[in-house]
């Protein structure tokens, strides 16, 4: 009987030991060794292979500012290595045209004023639907004067035509074949005022021609005026010693001057207007 109880006790202890071993924590095999294939776990489920951390792209709102000139200064940001977008310049407010006499052209998108310049318009005076206007000079100063403009102006350019004129005791003879028309050149301005310059006699461009070409051009200009043969010969003889188009009795004179005014209307559409002043010879 005693032996039977001992066997039963031993069997119960063995069963308890078996179940208690299943609750023990797993063995720690130490740190993973790089390059050891036995420690690498290969995951084949594509759902578990996705990158769950997306690139951080925070949207940083700009500080609210009032729409005033004082608050239009750009805010300094951290140097990220990228070029910052330049802040658009505040459009120049339209300037009022000066009061008083002068040439005035009122187009639909821009008005032009040249003070103390008297010129007669050719064609219709209403320029609201026109892109250009032509004037004939009467009196006043062109060189040294200024273009006063209204509107959103982006650029003003100038070009002119100069002509060689023969002046002596015989009279005044424009030589139309000896002329120069320049390219468009931008002129500087501020607050919609643009200085008119480089139209004086010493600054005007002239053709580079030989003495024989000058005599031939003088003869053709005299014949065009229907002078007599003797008169034509006198004109030609008066320049027999001339070797350059700017040598006396030849002078360089302004024949016409043109301005091109580029800008944007109230809707942001580009426009271009032109004004020309012809100087009678």
């Amino acid at each position: 009987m005693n032996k039977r109880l001992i066997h039963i006790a031993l069997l119960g202890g063995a069963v308890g030991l078996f179940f208690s071993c299943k609750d023990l924590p797993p063995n720690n095999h130490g740190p993973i060794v790089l390059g050891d294939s036995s420690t690498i776990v290969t995951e084949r489920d594509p759902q578990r292979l996705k990158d769950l951390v997306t690139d951080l792209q925070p949207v940083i709102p700009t500080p609210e500012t009032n729409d005033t000139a004082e608050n239009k200064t750009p805010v300094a940001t951290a140097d990220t290595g990228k070029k910052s977008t330049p802040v658009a310049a505040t459009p120049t407010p339209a300037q009022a045209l000066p009061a008083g006499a002068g040439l005035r052209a009122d187009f639909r998108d821009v008005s032009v004023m040249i003070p103390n310049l008297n010129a007669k318009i050719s064609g219709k005076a209403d320029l609201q639907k026109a892109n250009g206007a032509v004037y004939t000079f009467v009196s006043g100063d062109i060189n040294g004067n200024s273009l006063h403009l209204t509107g959103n102006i982006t650029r003003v350019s100038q070009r002119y035509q100069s002509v060689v004129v023969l002046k002596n005791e015989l009279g005044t003879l424009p030589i139309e074949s000896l002329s120069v028309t320049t390219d468009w050149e931008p002129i500087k301005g501020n607050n919609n005022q643009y200085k008119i310059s480089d139209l004086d006699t010493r600054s005007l461009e002239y053709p580079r021609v030989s003495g024989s070409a000058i005599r031939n051009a003088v003869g053709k200009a005299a014949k065009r005026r229907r002078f007599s043969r003797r008169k034509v010969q006198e004109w030609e003889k008066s320049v027999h010693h001339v070797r350059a188009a700017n040598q006396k009795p030849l002078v360089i004179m302004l024949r016409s001057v043109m301005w091109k005014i580029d800008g944007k209307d109230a809707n942001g559409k580009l426009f271009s207007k032109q004004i020309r002043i012809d100087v009678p010879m």
Side-chain angles (χ1 to χ4, degrees), residues 217-274:
V218 169
K220 290 179 180 179
K223 292 176 182 178
R224 194 176 297 114
R225 296 292 183 94
R226 299 185 181 276
F227 291 143
S228 65
R229 184 176 179 180
R230 180 180 177 182
K231 197 72 171 179
V232 171
Q233 291 176 347
E234 290 179 359
W235 281 107
E236 291 175 339
K237 187 178 179 180
S238 67
V239 292
H240 73 280
H241 63 287
V242 175
R243 298 293 182 268
N246 64 338
Q247 182 180 344
K248 291 182 178 181
L250 302 178
V251 294
I252 313 301
M253 297 185 63
L254 180 67
R255 182 66 182 88
S256 64
V257 58
M258 294 147 276
W259 296 283
K260 181 170 62 173
I261 303 163
D262 298 319
K264 295 181 180 180
D265 63 13
N267 297 321
K269 184 178 179 180
L270 299 176
F271 68 81
S272 184
K273 308 295 182 181
Q274 292 188 23

Side-chain angles (χ1 to χ4, degrees), residues 101-122:
L103 183 154
R104 176 159 180 165
D106 293 314
F107 297 99
R108 181 174 58 186
D109 302 306
V110 59
S111 291
V112 184
M113 174 71 171
I114 306 178
N116 303 316
L117 180 64
N118 185 12
K120 183 179 180 181
I121 190 170
S122 301

Side-chain angles (χ1 to χ4, degrees), residues 75-136:
V75 179
T77 57
D79 185 9
T80 60
K82 297 181 180 179
K83 293 182 179 180
S84 59
T85 303
V87 179
T90 304
T92 303
Q95 301 293 320
L97 296 180
L103 183 154
R104 176 159 180 165
D106 293 314
F107 297 99
R108 181 174 58 186
D109 302 306
V110 59
S111 291
V112 184
M113 174 71 171
I114 306 178
N116 303 316
L117 180 64
N118 185 12
K120 183 179 180 181
I121 190 170
S122 301
K124 296 181 179 180
D126 186 2
L127 302 176
Q128 288 300 301
K129 296 182 179 180
N131 289 322
V134 179
Y135 295 83
T136 300

Side-chain angles (χ1 to χ4, degrees), residues 51 53-58:
D51 186 3
V53 181
T54 60
D55 292 336
L56 184 61
Q57 297 179 351

